[in-house]
Amino acid sequence: MTILVTGGAGFIGSNFVLDWLAGCNEAVVNLDALTYAGNVHNLDSLRSNPLHVFVHGDIGDGELVARLLLEHTPRAVLHFAAESHVDRSIHGPGAFVQTNIVGTFQLLEAVRAYWGNLEPAAKAAFRLLHVSTDEVFGSLAKDAPAFTETHPYEPNSPYSASKAASDHLVRAYHHTYGLPVLTTNCSNNYGPLHFPEKLIPLMIVNARAGKPLPVYGDGQQIRDWLYVKDHCSAIRCVLAQGRVGETYNIGGWNEMPNLDIVHTVCDLLDELQPRADGASYRSQIAFVADRPGHDRRYAIDASKLHRELGWRPAETFASGIRKTVQWYLDNPDWIAQVQSGAYREWVAKQYAAG
Ligand code: NAD
Ligand code: TYD
């Protein structure tokens, strides 16, 4: 049997593919457009693995997707591919509409045609799992209960609006055409292979390079952090046991203000790789202009997934962040390789005033 993964050269997708092939013998067809966020080197360890077929292409290329489906007859499609960075969506929302909305629509059309022609047993067993985010629910007040699956959609950034639109399309393809879909809405991930434009890897990489650690606004915005491999295990769990047409929230029960996250990273670096001058990495923290429309708080109630499917995260934040910082210290070549010219241009544009 085979699964088709989209976006499997990105942060979460590559962790998912690596974990999948470490844990079972089911082949993976990995379709990825290799945007700035995609990195084939994340998959280097699979080079000689015949169970991994990498295809360089766009989810919006209906003909390509249709051909891959017919050729490999996957029993499931796991849809990770997306434009994923909020700050980039503020500078240039067009790519987010194109990939997250139009691309998901094209993918759904190709999958619907393929699924419609499967023989009854394969048709009944087929699943499309759509990987989404808690950001579709908008911003929570300080003391409001965490997002449940029935929380209204109130996306505030072009990124979250485009993901919300893709969630709605996936839902509609189930209700209208009967396509057997599953949707997951996960909180902020962190871990190995995370592109250093997002908070945690940016802080580690900047700290080690002696650069400022840019904290937006007052640094009191709250996110709910989950170690990426726990997200991957939750997706495997939903794929195996999730009820068709349902959505499942995934989270780590770990709300933290951004400034506390940055302090934790600095303290770990102070312990694991102290600065030559003996000062703390905390001295590199620099408060910079806030993100426009910055959501104040996200928090995920993942009790449905625990209650119905028995999933729980394996890592605490303390164990996951230690592994993450250590991974970046152990992989300077990976960091150097992703810090291409395009990366440097982004950093110059985003942090010009800071
Ligand atoms: P990422 O930006 O690291 O990776 C995205 C991948 O998709 C890249 O490999 C990129 O090349 C590929 N891609 C982009 N456009 C494509 C296209 N048109 N066709 C084919 N491939 C394309 O993102 P990530 O952090 O790994 O996120 C993966 C998914 O998980 C996204 O759907 C995101 O919305 C969701 N998600 C992310 C987080 C998080 O904290 N990172 C949390 C919850 C949900
Ligand atoms: P990010 O990793 O971009 O994820 P998201 O916006 O999807 O939650 O940002 C996490 C939090 O960290 C968010 O509140 C914005 C903040 N942040 C900073 O303070 N400084 C930075 O340089 C970045 C990239 C993010």
Side-chain angles (χ1 to χ4, degrees), residues 4 6 29 31 55 57-72 74 77 103 106-112 114:
L4 174 72
T6 72
V29 178
L31 172 63
V55 180
D58 197 313
I59 53 165
D61 182 343
E63 275 178 34
L64 170 66
V65 178
R67 184 165 58 71
L68 291 175
L69 291 168
L70 285 179
E71 193 178 325
H72 297 282
V77 172
Q106 300 283 16
L107 180 76
L108 283 166
E109 278 293 90
V111 171
R112 178 166 76 92
Y114 163 73

Side-chain angles (χ1 to χ4, degrees), residues 85-87 135 188 197-199 202-203 214-216 221 223 225 258 291 294 298 351:
H85 189 30
V86 173
D87 292 321
E135 303 194 25
N188 285 61
E197 64 181 356
K198 306 277 172 69
L199 179 71
L202 183 81
M203 294 300 147
V215 174
Y216 297 163
Q221 303 82 7
R223 298 292 183 265
W225 295 92
N258 292 338
R291 171 187 281 173
H294 198 169
Y298 303 141
Y351 299 100

Side-chain angles (χ1 to χ4, degrees), residues 137-160:
F137 298 123
S139 190
L140 279 174
K142 201 172 188 306
D143 300 320
F147 301 126
T148 63
E149 286 78 1
T150 55
H151 195 93
Y153 271 41
E154 290 175 340
N156 291 320
S157 72
Y159 164 65
S160 55

Side-chain angles (χ1 to χ4, degrees), residues 96-329:
F96 289 72
V97 171
Q98 197 55 42
T99 284
N100 300 357
I101 307 179
V102 181
T104 298
F105 163 69
Q106 300 283 16
L107 180 76
L108 283 166
E109 278 293 90
V111 171
R112 178 166 76 92
Y114 163 73
W115 171 76
N117 287 323
L118 289 174
E119 50 88 19
K123 196 172 177 183
F126 183 82
R127 298 287 182 272
L128 179 135
L129 190 151
H130 175 58
V131 179
S132 193
T133 167
D134 62 355
E135 303 194 25
V136 297
F137 298 123
S139 190
L140 279 174
K142 201 172 188 306
D143 300 320
F147 301 126
T148 63
E149 286 78 1
T150 55
H151 195 93
Y153 271 41
E154 290 175 340
N156 291 320
S157 72
Y159 164 65
S160 55
S162 67
K163 289 296 291 187
S166 68
D167 293 9
H168 292 326
L169 283 169
V170 169
R171 176 189 164 88
Y173 271 63
H174 174 64
H175 282 267
T176 305
Y177 305 112
L179 192 69
V181 305
L182 299 157
T183 295
T184 56
N185 293 90
C186 189
S187 60
N188 285 61
N189 285 212
Y190 67 97
L193 305 170
H194 204 182
F195 193 75
E197 64 181 356
K198 306 277 172 69
L199 179 71
I200 289 179
L202 183 81
M203 294 300 147
I204 301 171
V205 166
N206 277 15
R208 286 297 301 134
K211 293 183 180 162
L213 308 180
V215 174
Y216 297 163
D218 62 3
Q220 293 308 311
Q221 303 82 7
I222 291 172
R223 298 292 183 265
D224 188 349
W225 295 92
L226 181 69
Y227 191 61
V228 64
K229 291 185 181 295
D230 281 326
H231 187 186
C232 296
S233 77
I235 289 171
R236 293 195 301 273
C237 176
V238 172
L239 178 66
Q241 307 173 53
R243 284 186 289 133
V244 164
E246 290 290 313
T247 66
Y248 294 91
N249 282 356
I250 306 173
W253 303 103
N254 182 62
E255 287 183 57
M256 277 176 82
N258 292 338
L259 192 56
D260 289 8
I261 294 284
V262 178
H263 284 159
T264 305
V265 167
C266 290
D267 295 352
L268 276 168
L269 285 169
D270 287 341
E271 176 195 326
L272 297 170
Q273 202 159 108
R275 277 174 36 153
D277 64 2
S280 169
Y281 288 97
R282 287 190 186 206
S283 62
Q284 291 169 231
I285 292 172
F287 289 90
V288 300
D290 209 350
R291 171 187 281 173
H294 198 169
D295 284 340
R296 198 69 185 164
R297 176 176 166 235
Y298 303 141
I300 271 279
D301 179 341
S303 51
K304 176 180 173 183
L305 183 55
H306 177 61
R307 197 176 54 245
E308 293 190 8
L309 308 186
W311 176 85
R312 64 169 78 235
E315 301 290 343
T316 63
F317 186 70
S319 64
I321 193 69
R322 182 173 283 274
K323 283 185 185 176
T324 303
V325 170
Q326 191 64 58
W327 186 88
Y328 281 85
L329 293 178

